[in-house]
Amino acid sequence: PLRGAPRLAPLITAIGLSIALQQAIWKWYPDAKKARVFPQFKGESLDILGVTVQRGEIFLLIAAPLCMLALGLFVARTRTGRGMQATAQDPDTAKLMGINTDRIIVIAFAIGAAFAAIAAVAHGLKYGQVDFRMGFITGLKAFTAAVLGGIGNIYGAMLGGVVLGVAEALATGYIEEIPGMTQFGGGSWKDVWAFVLLILVLLLRPQGLLGERVADRA
């Protein structure tokens, strides 16, 4: 039933399902709450143009733009990618054009899982440990980035992620220096400011930065 629903409905449903799965894992596998140590690159941090970069972060700096470029080219240039665009725009018409929409949906989920795995490796290299809950808040921020950039717009989601990350860094670094706002700064508030940004976008520009208002057809 969700396939015929508005685009936001499957995203919100996925968040709700992830919460349910998280609670189920806690109940059935209590040992899963323990974090696991993730292997790290050996060696000292690097100094790049005056900026100290940990070796684990180099993977992220290389993988992120490559994944963005690969996904953009895949969707824009390949037959399957064009099938994804057609399925997203009008699945019924896509079926009439000979596109196997069920297969396209499975491929889209598989690509999402592959990128999630890459993100998990980047997280483990940066923080030195992994646990089954680490993707939850990241998933919520991915949803925020998608809404910020424009639901259904790949490049908008990429832009939204960058804007969200910069906004978090600026908020945690400078808000505590504003008179009367000291208690709202620091790393413990970064998630709060991320969702404040989401609320502002939904109120002021619900279609996102690169999204367009589309009138309902009769």
Side-chain angles (χ1 to χ4, degrees), residues 72-89 94 99 104:
L73 292 176
F74 176 80
V75 172
R77 302 291 180 86
T78 67
R79 184 183 182 90
T80 302
R82 289 193 291 269
M84 287 182 178
Q85 296 180 62
T87 301
Q89 292 173 6
I99 297 174
I104 291 295

Side-chain angles (χ1 to χ4, degrees), residues 55-181:
R55 289 183 178 270
E57 294 176 342
I58 295 177
F59 173 83
L60 175 60
L61 293 174
I62 296 175
L66 286 180
C67 288
M68 294 179 190
L69 179 62
L71 180 61
L73 292 176
F74 176 80
V75 172
R77 302 291 180 86
T78 67
R79 184 183 182 90
T80 302
R82 289 193 291 269
M84 287 182 178
Q85 296 180 62
T87 301
Q89 292 173 6
D90 192 333
D92 293 330
T93 303
K95 288 180 180 179
L96 294 176
M97 296 296 103
I99 297 174
N100 187 336
T101 55
D102 291 330
R103 177 174 173 271
I104 291 295
I105 291 171
V106 169
I107 292 174
F109 272 92
I111 292 174
F115 283 134
I118 295 173
V121 172
H123 182 282
L125 290 172
K126 179 175 177 60
Y127 297 105
Q129 61 182 19
V130 294
D131 63 81
F132 80 96
R133 296 170 295 176
M134 68 183 188
F136 180 70
I137 190 66
T138 307
L140 289 179
K141 289 184 179 180
F143 168 72
T144 303
V147 173
L148 179 60
I151 293 294
N153 189 316
I154 293 177
Y155 299 105
M158 296 176 185
L159 176 62
V162 173
V163 171
L164 180 62
V166 172
E168 278 190 7
L170 293 177
T172 56
Y174 294 103
I175 284 183
E176 61 183 357
E177 298 180 4
I178 301 176
M181 297 284 288

